[in-house]
Amino acid sequence: MKNTTSEPATSASQSTQPINNQEKILTGDRATGALHLGHFVGSLQQRMQLQHQFAQTILVADMQGLTDNGHNPKKVSSNILNVVADYLAVGIDPLKTTICLQSALPALAELTMYYANLVSIARLERNPTVKTEINSKSFGRSIPAGFLTYPISQAADITAFRATLVPVGEDQLPMLEQTNEIVRRLNTIAQQDILLECKPLLSKVSRLPSVDGKSKMSKSMGNTIMLGSSQKDISKAVKSMYTDANHLRVSDPGQVAGNVVFTYLDAFHQDEDYIADLKAHYSAGGLGDGTVKKILEECLQDLLAPIRVRRATLTSDPSQLIAILKQGTERSQDETNDVLAQVKNAFGLNLF
Ligand code: TRP
């Protein structure tokens, strides 16, 4: 498999600035579902590499998950340990990476309240990612205040850990921009640089398409392959994958661009020359979809089999998952409380 081993992080990074070992990394995931192959290529692989070189924290963002699930909190509470199990099953090492729980770090919520005074509603409404989400969820004026303001909470997350490098997908860039605005405002008020600005670390792999090639991957739409998927589900998903609608006979030339099977082969198959030959053959005609799908299925089964086994073992003992999450959270209390104290101090709220 490509990039699954513990190699240096340089190949995974696309940062324009040089990275030094002093960088502190924070990433996070909303705890609204178990993780899928899109997370694997988009962020998990990169985190596995980064953990060998940097101080890295991963935040299980349960509070952020609630911002659009206030009426369905089970979607969040029931997925916290699923996300932790996925991290560990793919190879995130809790001895190297601190895994912690957002709702159990009170400093994050407090910081959010202080930062909220530095951000206007107009600015929040201009955030392009939030704007897209608001439209797709058809919130209208009923948008939860927590949802509109989640970029502020994310700024609290990032600054509370003094993170300087945040590995994210493109959709998260507006959050980092807003974070840095808050940092600059706060530092101006404090008249010293108490908070650090952060830089994005963009993943090299662009967004993995859903199995149907049409929409965003989502577990509920059944168009994705979860990290814990059974052998049968993987097989079913690959068989149903979108290829080239005009590729009717094996002898017909097929189109590789937009063909989900080839997009997945590019993302997961380790032999690039072999895939290049396969594409040439497919484009010229004479290679059937079934054959290509079989090659992809084998590749995905090989990748996910050990992950599935480790995941099953991990989820069979939730107390171990809870202990790991609790330890990481405890380790983060002092650090986040310290940043909170400095921010309160900047506002002169330090009587006792
Ligand atoms: N917004 C991220 C997501 O959609 C989750 C997240 C919360 C996060 N806090 C963060 C990411 C801090 C990076 C840094 O999954």
Side-chain angles (χ1 to χ4, degrees):
M1 291 304 123
K2 220 187 292 181
N3 291 334
T4 47
T5 49
S6 347
E7 275 159 19
T10 41
S11 60
S13 71
Q14 255 199 352
S15 174
T16 45
Q17 279 125 328
I19 300 173
N20 67 55
N21 285 2
Q22 304 307 311
E23 305 277 13
K24 171 94 203 286
I25 296 186
L26 177 75
T27 64
D29 298 286
R30 290 182 195 181
T32 48
L35 306 182
H36 51 59
L37 281 182
H39 295 109
F40 187 82
V41 286
S43 61
L44 296 174
Q45 274 188 327
Q46 194 182 34
R47 293 174 192 181
M48 278 182 283
Q49 297 177 339
L50 293 169
Q51 69 181 349
H52 297 289
Q53 284 182 300
F54 303 99
Q56 174 170 257
T57 299
I58 303 180
L59 188 66
V60 180
D62 54 348
M63 283 201 295
Q64 191 179 112
L66 276 184
T67 59
D68 60 343
N69 288 295
H71 298 288
N72 183 19
K74 212 155 188 274
K75 184 167 176 197
V76 176
S77 59
S78 65
N79 277 307
I80 293 170
L81 296 185
N82 273 331
V83 171
V84 177
D86 283 329
Y87 292 157
L88 302 177
V90 297
I92 304 260
D93 177 355
L95 296 175
K96 294 201 166 86
T97 297
T98 301
I99 304 173
C100 58
L101 185 63
Q102 191 183 29
S103 66
L105 290 163
L108 302 182
E110 284 194 55
L111 280 171
T112 303
M113 284 307 283
Y114 291 107
Y115 294 168
N117 303 309
L118 305 177
V119 184
S120 70
I121 296 287
R123 176 66 183 91
L124 289 164
E125 286 175 342
R126 264 203 312 276
N127 182 310
T129 298
V130 176
K131 225 176 177 168
T132 311
E133 286 173 306
I134 292 174
N135 286 337
S136 71
K137 291 172 201 289
S138 323
F139 278 140
R141 292 297 296 159
S142 312
I143 180 169
F147 191 82
L148 186 63
T149 54
Y150 90 73
I152 305 178
S153 145
Q154 194 155 330
D157 300 340
I158 294 168
T159 53
F161 287 94
R162 300 191 189 287
T164 51
L165 210 52
V166 185
V168 282
E170 296 238 348
D171 64 317
Q172 295 292 302
L173 294 179
M175 309 304 159
L176 305 201
E177 225 174 90
Q178 276 203 266
T179 299
N180 287 340
E181 282 172 26
I182 292 171
V183 167
R184 289 192 288 270
R185 288 208 177 121
L186 206 277
N187 286 345
T188 303
I189 291 166
Q191 294 186 310
Q192 55 173 311
D193 289 345
I194 58 172
L195 299 181
L196 301 173
E197 290 197 39
C198 64
K199 300 183 291 278
L201 182 60
L202 281 174
S203 161
K204 207 162 62 177
V205 186
S206 50
R207 197 184 277 275
L208 198 66
S210 59
V211 167
D212 55 19
K214 280 186 209 137
S215 39
K216 210 178 138 174
M217 268 200 261
S218 102
K219 191 184 177 188
S220 55
M221 291 174 73
N223 60 9
T224 183
I225 298 176
M226 309 305 293
L227 295 178
S229 282
S230 68
Q231 209 172 348
K232 230 170 112 190
D233 285 347
I234 297 167
S235 179
K236 212 171 113 197
V238 174
K239 287 201 176 84
S240 77
M241 258 184 196
Y242 181 78
T243 56
D244 167 7
N246 296 318
H247 189 230
L248 299 175
R249 280 173 298 255
V250 173
S251 54
D252 288 343
Q255 203 177 333
V256 167
N259 188 315
V260 178
V261 181
F262 280 105
T263 309
Y264 274 61
L265 281 169
D266 279 337
F268 295 102
H269 202 286
Q270 63 179 351
D271 192 340
E272 287 175 33
D273 293 339
Y274 175 65
I275 298 304
D277 287 347
L278 214 59
K279 284 179 183 172
H281 190 178
Y282 190 81
S283 308
L287 184 60
D289 285 349
T291 309
V292 190
K293 284 182 173 179
K294 214 174 273 167
I295 295 163
L296 175 63
E297 186 189 334
E298 197 181 303
C299 161
L300 294 180
Q301 296 287 11
D302 286 351
L303 170 72
L304 292 175
I307 295 175
R308 184 188 318 119
V309 172
R310 281 196 294 270
R311 201 182 185 285
T313 312
L314 288 159
T315 48
S316 71
D317 182 10
S319 65
Q320 196 201 340
L321 294 173
I322 295 169
I324 288 171
L325 189 58
K326 193 159 175 243
Q327 257 169 31
T329 306
E330 276 163 6
R331 226 184 294 152
S332 309
Q333 296 290 3
D334 283 354
E335 183 178 25
T336 53
N337 282 335
D338 187 54
V339 172
L340 172 65
Q342 290 194 34
V343 168
K344 287 178 75 172
N345 200 38
F347 285 112
L349 302 177
N350 51 5
L351 271 185
F352 44 81

